[in-house]
Amino acid sequence: MMSLLRKIRTTGRVAEPAPPRPSPEAPPAARALCGSAQVRHVDAGSCNGCEIEIGNAFGPVYDAERYGARLVASPRHADVLLVTGPVTRNMAEPLRRTVAATPEPRLVVAVGDCALNCGEFAGGYGVQGAVAEVVLVDVDVPGCPPEPERIVATLRTVTGR
């Protein structure tokens, strides 16, 4: 027991330094969010790869909440919508309704290559199109799936932290 305590005392605290503040300019609607963002995730027809990375971004390792982004359960409480996957024919109208239910000022973030250009699902019979073809998109997060660091960095540009 004493050797363990001695090792802890000699090693000290081991942690990575905080990442630098994001340099890209925030979208105009992000200025009204005042440093925090309530985030609602919408799956428009993805393979769930982006959902796993979003879960990791809000998990204990990357912890997007420390930068002012918090997941909420309703679009009526949200400031930011994270939309993943290509928009399927059955999800086009619910996505439009979700965006309409989100109060102004709102931001729509397309997460992943499928949300940006339909990715592997391009040309599929059940695919309506990319997210930008159905609703207005403010910010893009490329990648298949995007790394949690990139998702957190995008949320940091939105919150300004």
Side-chain angles (χ1 to χ4, degrees), residues 37-43 54 58 69-84 91 95 98-99 101-103 107-111 155:
Q38 309 305 312
V39 180
R40 173 72 177 142
H41 169 247
V42 180
D43 182 354
I54 289 171
F58 282 92
R70 195 183 82 160
L71 286 173
V72 294
S74 172
R76 298 191 190 285
H77 301 151
D79 303 315
V80 178
L81 295 176
L82 294 179
V83 185
T84 59
M91 278 300 294
L95 178 60
T98 301
V99 171
T102 306
L107 290 168
V108 177
V109 179
V111 179
L155 290 172

